[in-house]
Amino acid sequence: MKNKQVKGVTKPVSLITLSDSSSPISEQYRTIRTNIQFSITDRNLKTLVVTSSGPGEGKSTTSANLAVVFAKSGLKVLLVDADMRKPTVAKTFNLMNHTGLSTLLSEGGTILSSYTQRSLMDNLDVMTSGPKPPNPSEMLGSRRMQDAMNLMKEQYDLIIFDMPPVVAVTDAQIMSSVVDGTILVVREGVSNKKAAQKAAQLLDMANANVLGAIYNGASRSSDQGYYYYYGTEK
């Protein structure tokens, strides 16, 4: 389930919710989906950021599989690879990456379908990262990004942004300040406690609406790899 990296090259993550929808881990993702829905019953959740404190904690795996289970529930979902530094979504869904988020923002495009691609399942479209830009943070904080998000919200029920680790760069902070909810992913045996605390502080500084944290890779049970905690406690 871990997004492996070799010499800085990212690899596709596991889409277990597609390959084995009856597995215990797939059921955990469905439980996470339900918990997220319960945590925002008083308001409409349309935009969601998924991030982590550091690399290798499972945020891209979580983003992709949450997109699948939300799409299976009947929502029209757009998964956006907003990690323009080390993207994974194109490889995970076996898609081309000539156009995507970076080209949408650089060109100021207004026809969203020119920058998205269909996945292999109903209700799920994907916007890959596009070619790597020299200034990801500035692009994400631009007026063009706000305009792009408005276009996305007009056409989709839920937009999930796969972001870089929040401690490493400011990208996740920027996006967390403008979306409806943020999920922080941590991984047993990988996440550093101080880094996770720093991540929570950075999100708090951005006034992010942190819905909760997903703790994955738990060793207490071979059948349960993902747990979801939500509430106001950091």
Side-chain angles (χ1 to χ4, degrees):
M1 299 292 292
K2 181 178 177 181
N3 178 26
K4 299 178 181 179
Q5 298 184 16
V6 178
K7 295 183 179 180
V9 177
T10 58
K11 294 186 177 181
V13 301
S14 171
L15 283 175
I16 192 168
T17 48
L18 274 180
S19 62
D20 188 1
S21 62
S22 62
S23 73
I25 293 179
S26 294
E27 181 58 33
Q28 288 292 322
Y29 278 116
R30 289 189 287 270
T31 299
I32 293 168
R33 177 193 65 198
T34 301
N35 288 345
I36 291 173
Q37 291 170 328
F38 281 152
S39 71
I40 45 86
T41 53
D42 59 336
R43 60 191 183 279
N44 187 26
L45 176 77
K46 295 209 70 171
T47 50
L48 179 67
V49 153
V50 180
T51 186
S52 59
S53 62
E57 297 183 47
K59 55 95 180 171
S60 293
T61 301
T62 299
S63 300
N65 282 283
L66 280 180
V68 170
V69 295
F70 270 108
K72 284 185 175 181
S73 74
L75 295 182
K76 188 176 181 182
V77 179
L78 176 64
L79 174 62
V80 181
D81 194 342
D83 189 344
M84 293 183 279
R85 303 166 193 270
K86 292 185 178 180
T88 62
V89 171
K91 292 180 180 179
T92 297
F93 287 87
N94 195 27
L95 300 172
M96 301 298 292
N97 197 27
H98 300 314
T99 61
L101 181 60
S102 64
T103 50
L104 169 64
L105 298 179
S106 63
E107 296 170 2
T110 58
I111 302 176
L112 200 60
S113 59
S114 299
Y115 305 91
T116 61
Q117 301 178 63
R118 295 283 184 91
S119 71
L120 294 177
M121 65 171 297
D122 294 337
N123 297 325
L124 177 58
D125 290 347
V126 174
M127 181 180 290
T128 63
S129 64
K132 293 182 181 180
N135 55 342
S137 297
E138 289 77 6
M139 295 182 79
L140 292 172
S142 67
R143 178 57 187 268
R144 285 185 175 181
M145 185 65 206
Q146 296 178 33
D147 294 340
M149 287 181 64
N150 289 334
L151 285 174
M152 295 173 190
K153 288 189 282 188
E154 290 175 358
Q155 299 180 34
Y156 293 92
D157 299 317
L158 177 65
I159 305 101
I160 298 176
F161 295 94
D162 179 9
M163 302 300 307
V166 66
V167 175
V169 291
T170 61
D171 301 18
Q173 269 188 293
I174 292 170
M175 290 297 295
S176 291
S177 68
V178 296
V179 298
D180 298 324
T182 297
I183 296 293
L184 180 66
V185 179
V186 295
R187 186 179 182 89
E188 184 170 297
V190 175
S191 301
N192 177 278
K193 182 178 180 180
K194 290 185 177 180
Q197 292 173 333
K198 179 65 173 178
Q201 292 172 358
L202 291 171
L203 292 172
D204 186 58
M205 289 172 59
N207 293 318
N209 178 28
V210 180
L211 302 179
I214 293 175
Y215 183 72
N216 71 70
S219 59
R220 73 177 185 180
S221 169
S222 60
D223 292 333
Q224 295 182 336
Y226 285 75
Y227 302 92
Y228 178 75
Y229 301 88
Y230 63 99
T232 57
E233 295 183 4
K234 298 289 189 292

